[in-house]
C-alpha cells in the first residue's frame, strides 16, 4: 500500500522543503502598483491599461501576492494586462487554508491580445538547471525525468532561503501546494482512505504505478548529483537522498508536475518549463486554444477569447483524458473532448491456433494484447472496432483459420451464434466492470447535485461518474448490436479459447 505523504495532516506542510532555517517573514515594500477598484488586487497592468471591476469572490491583498509580483516586475517582466487575484479555498482543513492565487484579466481583453510575456530569464528550464553540455547525457540515462531534475533544483534553491533568486516564486509554489483550479492536490498526495474514493476506477492502480515511478527516480537522484557535480557546487548541502526524505521529494515532484509547461518548437533543454504566471495560477480547460508559447526569448500568452476584467485567464491543457488531468493537476473537466477509458483484450495463449490468430491480428494493426481506447461520445465506434478482434478469438475450425490467413482484411466468417457469443461476452464484461464501483451512476449524480461533498470526494466522484457514462455508452452499443441480430433465439456458441477482457 502507498504510504501517506509526510505531514499530510498538518497545515504548515511546504511542498518545497527548507530544513536549514525558517523562512523569515517578507518585508513590506512600498510600490506604485495599480489597483483594481473594488478589490485592491495585485496587478501587473500597463499604466495605460483600462481598469474594470473584478469578479465577485476574486480579491487579493497587497500583502499576499505583492512580493511575488514585485519580484516579477523587478526582474524584467514587461507590463501586461493581467492581475493576480484570490479565490477562496473549500474548507477541507477547517477553514485554515489561505485563498489561492490565480491570474485574471486586469482589463477587458479581446481574442488575440497578448495577456503577458515572461522573459526566459524568469523561466526555469533544464537549460538553466543543467547547462547545454549536460542535458543530453543525463536525459539519455532513462532514469530521471525532466520533472525530477526541476524538482531537485528547486528543492536546493529553497534551502538557500532569501539568498535564492527564486525565493518569491518558490513561496508562491508553497502557497499553491500543487493544487489546481479546484484547490485539490494530485491523488499522489491523498491518504489511503481518500484513495478509496477511486475504488473501481483504473485511476487507483495508476496512482500506485506513478508513485512507484517517483520512488525509482528518487533512488537515482544521487546519480544525478555525482554526474553533474559542477551543477550543484553552489549548494553546500548533503547529497539528495540524505538531504531530502522520499515523501518530501514526492511533494516537490507533484508540485512541479502541476505547474510545468510543455513548450513547443524549442530545444530539448527548454521543452519543460516552469513559468511564473503560468499554471497553477492559470486555469486549465480542455476545449480552449490559448497556450503558452516561446517567442523571441520569452514565453507569451495570446488569449483565444474576450475577457472582462477580473475573469480567470484560461489556457489549453493539451489532449489529456480526465484521469491524467486529475493525476497531474488535481481537477476533472466535465467538457473534456479528449476523455477516454481503456478496454484491454487479449488472445488466449492456450489456444492451439494462438500463433495464427496473432499473425492475423498483427496484419490488421492489432497486438496479441490490445488496448482499445473508448473515447467520449464514440463508444459505439470502439465496440465496432473491437468486434473483428473478438470474433477472431472464437474461431475454432482449422479450415476457417486457414481461409482467414489466406484472405485480406480482418473479416471472419460470422454465424449468428458466434456473433451472439462475442456480444454476450462484452455485455458481461461491461456489467462486471460497472459493478466494480461502490456506487452507481445515479448515486453519483445525486451526490454531486447535493453539493456537500468535500473537495477530494467531489473531484473523484466526477471522475468515476464520467468513466461510468462511457461504460454505459459501450453497454448500450453492445445491446444495440444484439438487437440487430437476425435470430434472437440462437444460443451462443461455446468458446473454449475466448479472448480475455480486462
Amino acid at each position: 500500500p502507498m504510504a501517506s505523504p509526510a505531514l499530510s495532516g498538518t497545515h504548515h506542510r511546504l511542498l518545497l522543503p527548507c530544513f536549514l532555517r525558517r523562512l523569515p517573514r517578507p518585508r513590506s515594500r512600498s510600490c506604485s502598483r495599480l489597483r483594481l477598484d473594488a478589490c485592491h488586487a495585485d496587478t501587473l497592468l500597463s499604466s495605460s491599461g483600462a481598469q474594470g471591476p473584478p469578479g465577485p469572490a476574486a480579491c487579493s491583498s497587497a500583502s499576499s501576492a505583492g512580493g511575488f509580483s514585485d519580484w516579477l516586475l523587478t526582474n524584467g517582466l514587461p507590463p501586461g494586462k493581467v492581475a493576480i487575484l484570490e479565490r477562496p479555498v473549500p474548507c477541507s482543513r477547517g477553514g485554515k487554508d489561505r485563498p489561492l492565487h490565480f491570474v485574471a484579466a486586469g482589463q477587458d481583453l479581446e481574442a488575440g491580445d497578448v495577456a503577458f510575456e515572461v522573459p526566459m530569464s524568469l523561466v526555469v528550464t533544464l537549460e538553466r538547471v543543467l547547462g547545454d553540455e549536460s542535458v543530453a547525457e543525463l536525459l539519455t540515462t532513462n532514469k530521471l525525468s525532466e520533472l525530477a531534475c526541476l524538482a531537485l533544483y528547486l528543492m536546493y534553491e529553497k534551502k538557500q532561503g532569501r539568498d535564492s533568486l527564486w525565493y518569491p516564486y518558490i513561496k508562491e509554489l508553497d502557497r499553491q501546494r500543487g493544487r489546481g483550479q479546484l484547490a485539490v492536490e494530485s491523488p499522489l498526495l491523498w491518504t489511503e482512505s481518500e484513495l478509496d474514493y477511486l475504488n473501481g476506477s483504473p485511476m487507483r492502480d495508476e496512482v500506485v504505478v506513478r508513485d512507484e515511478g517517483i520512488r525509482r527516480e528518487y533512488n537515482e537522484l544521487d546519480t544525478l548529483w555525482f554526474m553533474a557535480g559542477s551543477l550543484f557546487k553552489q549548494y553546500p548541502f548533503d547529497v539528495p537522498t540524505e538531504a531530502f526524505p522520499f515523501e518530501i521529494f514526492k511533494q516537490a515532484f507533484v508540485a512541479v508536475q502541476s505547474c510545468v509547461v510543455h513548450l513547443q518548437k524549442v530545444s530539448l533543454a527548454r521543452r519543460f518549463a516552469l513559468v511564473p504566471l503560468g499554471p497553477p495560477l492559470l486555469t486549465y480547460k480542455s476545449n480552449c486554444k490559448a497556450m503558452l508559447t516561446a517567442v523571441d526569448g520569452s514565453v507569451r500568452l495570446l488569449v483565444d477569447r474576450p475577457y472582462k476584467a477580473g475573469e480567470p485567464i484560461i489556457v489549453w491543457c493539451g489532449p489529456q483524458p480526465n484521469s491524467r488531468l486529475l493525476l497531474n493537476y488535481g481537477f476533472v473537466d466535465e467538457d473534456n473532448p479528449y476523455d477516454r477509458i481503456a478496454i484491454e483484450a487479449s488472445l488466449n495463449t492456450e489456444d492451439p491456433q494462438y500463433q495464427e490468430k496473432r499473425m492475423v491480428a498483427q496484419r490488421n494493426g492489432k497486438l496479441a494484447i490490445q488496448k482499445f481506447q473508448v473515447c467520449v461520445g464514440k463508444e459505439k465506434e470502439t465496440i465496432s472496432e473491437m468486434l473483428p478482434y473478438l470474433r477472431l478469438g472464437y474461431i475454432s475450425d482449422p479450415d476457417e483459420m486457414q481461409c482467414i490467413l489466406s484472405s485480406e482484411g480482418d473479416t471472419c466468417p460470422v454465424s449468428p451464434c458466434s456473433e451472439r457469443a462475442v456480444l454476450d461476452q462484452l455485455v458481461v464484461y461491461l456489467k462486471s466492470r460497472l459493478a466494480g464501483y461502490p456506487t452507481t451512476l445515479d448515486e453519483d449524480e445525486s451526490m454531486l447535485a447535493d453539493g456537500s461533498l468535500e473537495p477530494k470526494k467531489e473531484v473523484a466522484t466526477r471522475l468515476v461518474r464520467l468513466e461510468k457514462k462511457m461504460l454505459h455508452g459501450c453497454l448500450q452499443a453492445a445491446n444495440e448490436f444484439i438487437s440487430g441480430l437476425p435470430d434472437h433465439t440462437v444460443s451462443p456458441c461455446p468458446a473454449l479459447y475466448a479472448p480475455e477482457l480486462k
Side-chain angles (χ1 to χ4, degrees):
M2 290 175 56
S4 299
L7 309 179
S8 62
T10 63
H11 172 58
H12 294 292
R13 182 188 68 195
L14 297 180
L15 286 176
L16 301 170
C18 180
F19 297 139
L20 295 191
R21 60 182 181 275
R22 193 170 181 176
L23 293 179
R25 295 175 64 86
R27 296 184 295 271
S28 59
R29 303 182 183 182
S30 59
C31 58
S32 57
R33 292 187 301 275
L34 291 176
R35 309 288 184 189
L36 291 180
D37 295 339
C39 189
H40 302 299
D42 181 47
T43 72
L44 304 169
L45 288 169
S46 165
S47 59
S48 61
Q51 300 183 43
C59 275
S60 175
S61 66
S63 62
S64 63
F68 179 49
S69 64
D70 282 351
W71 171 74
L72 288 169
L73 295 169
T74 301
N75 285 278
L77 184 80
K81 301 176 181 178
V82 296
I84 299 177
L85 306 183
E86 288 182 347
R87 60 163 59 94
V89 174
C91 297
S92 58
R93 292 169 173 260
K96 295 179 181 179
D97 264 336
R98 294 179 298 169
L100 291 177
H101 290 143
F102 69 99
V103 172
Q107 62 188 64
D108 290 353
L109 299 176
E110 298 297 328
D113 284 352
V114 176
F116 61 78
E117 195 163 349
V118 180
M120 288 303 296
S121 59
L122 283 172
V123 176
V124 184
T125 63
L126 288 182
E127 180 178 58
R128 175 182 295 275
V129 173
L130 300 176
D132 285 329
E133 68 281 357
S134 304
V135 173
E137 179 184 3
L138 289 170
L139 293 184
T140 52
T141 63
N142 291 322
K143 293 181 179 179
L144 280 165
S145 67
E146 291 93 336
L147 295 182
C149 297
L150 292 171
L152 182 60
Y153 175 73
L154 287 187
M155 289 165 76
Y156 276 112
E157 283 292 317
K158 173 70 178 289
K159 280 200 165 197
Q160 298 199 98
R162 286 184 177 275
D163 293 335
S164 170
L165 167 68
W166 306 107
Y167 173 74
Y169 182 37
I170 291 170
K171 276 192 58 127
E172 184 60 36
L173 293 180
D174 279 341
R175 184 188 181 97
Q176 299 292 135
R177 276 209 340 267
R179 294 171 295 176
Q181 55 218 53
L182 297 182
V184 174
E185 298 166 326
S186 164
L188 288 165
L189 299 179
W190 293 10
T191 65
E192 280 294 324
S193 60
E194 289 167 342
L195 286 173
D196 287 344
Y197 301 152
L198 297 168
N199 284 347
S201 170
M203 183 71 183
R204 183 75 190 257
D205 290 337
E206 288 181 39
V207 171
V208 175
V209 170
R210 181 73 68 90
D211 186 80
E212 292 170 348
I214 295 173
R215 186 174 289 277
R216 283 195 300 272
E217 295 208 65
Y218 174 76
N219 292 333
E220 293 294 335
L221 288 180
D222 291 352
T223 303
L224 173 64
W225 170 277
F226 291 117
M227 286 179 67
S230 60
L231 160 68
F232 296 105
K233 64 184 178 182
Q234 70 268 37
Y235 303 123
F237 309 126
D238 292 333
V239 296
T241 56
E242 295 178 10
F244 309 108
F246 169 69
E247 291 298 339
I248 293 296
F249 171 72
K250 184 168 79 167
Q251 291 164 10
F253 185 98
V254 171
V256 168
Q257 174 183 267
S258 72
C259 56
V260 74
V261 175
H262 296 234
L263 297 177
Q264 306 296 315
K265 300 178 181 178
V266 295
S267 66
L268 176 68
R270 291 188 173 193
R271 183 178 58 171
F272 289 81
L274 301 176
V275 184
L277 296 184
L281 297 177
L282 290 172
T283 300
Y284 270 147
K285 282 293 287 182
S286 299
N287 56 5
C288 173
K289 294 182 179 178
M291 56 190 296
L292 291 163
T293 54
V295 181
D296 299 329
S298 66
V299 176
R300 178 185 303 172
L301 177 64
L302 274 67
V303 296
D304 70 334
R305 63 194 68 192
Y307 289 91
K308 294 293 183 183
E311 291 181 343
I313 299 293
I314 296 170
V315 295
W316 188 45
C317 50
Q320 303 183 68
N322 278 320
S323 58
R324 190 68 55 81
L325 295 182
L326 179 55
L327 193 62
N328 290 345
Y329 315 112
F331 81 100
V332 168
D333 189 346
E334 297 276 352
D335 302 315
N336 186 356
Y338 306 100
D339 202 15
R340 63 181 184 269
I341 55 174
I343 298 177
E344 183 179 288
S346 56
L347 298 174
N348 193 322
T349 55
E350 296 181 2
D351 189 338
Q353 301 183 93
Y354 169 75
Q355 293 298 341
E356 290 89 343
K357 292 179 180 181
R358 185 174 63 87
M359 288 173 56
V360 173
Q362 289 179 341
R363 188 174 69 189
N364 292 282
K366 300 292 188 290
L367 301 172
I369 301 175
Q370 178 66 40
K371 278 195 174 182
F372 293 89
Q373 298 295 334
V374 181
C375 297
V376 62
K378 298 182 178 178
E379 293 86 357
K380 190 168 185 177
E381 288 91 329
T382 304
I383 297 301
S384 295
E385 182 190 0
M386 291 182 68
L387 288 177
Y389 186 92
L390 298 180
R391 290 171 188 146
L392 186 61
Y394 277 78
I395 299 297
S396 56
D397 187 329
D399 291 337
E400 286 186 5
M401 197 67 242
Q402 287 303 313
C403 178
I404 295 167
L405 283 168
S406 61
S407 66
E408 297 291 333
D410 58 1
T411 303
C412 297
V414 177
S415 66
C417 80
S418 63
E419 188 74 350
R420 179 63 186 265
V422 167
L423 291 166
D424 278 356
Q425 183 187 4
L426 263 175
V427 167
V428 170
Y429 162 78
L430 292 166
K431 286 182 176 179
S432 68
R433 186 157 167 179
L434 284 165
Y437 293 93
T439 58
T440 66
L441 184 56
D442 288 342
E443 288 170 336
D444 293 341
E445 301 276 9
S446 177
M447 286 190 292
L448 291 169
D450 181 67
S452 61
L453 295 176
E454 64 96 359
K456 291 175 184 174
K457 180 67 178 292
E458 178 180 343
V459 76
T461 302
R462 291 189 183 280
L463 177 79
V464 299
R465 168 180 163 269
L466 293 170
E467 289 177 350
K468 292 171 195 174
K469 289 179 78 170
M470 286 185 276
L471 290 171
H472 275 288
C474 291
L475 186 58
Q476 179 181 342
N479 283 322
E480 287 177 3
F481 282 121
I482 289 175
S483 66
L485 292 176
D487 187 349
H488 296 287
T489 63
V490 173
S491 298
C493 298
L496 295 176
Y497 305 106
E500 298 176 12
L501 294 172
K502 64 179 182 180

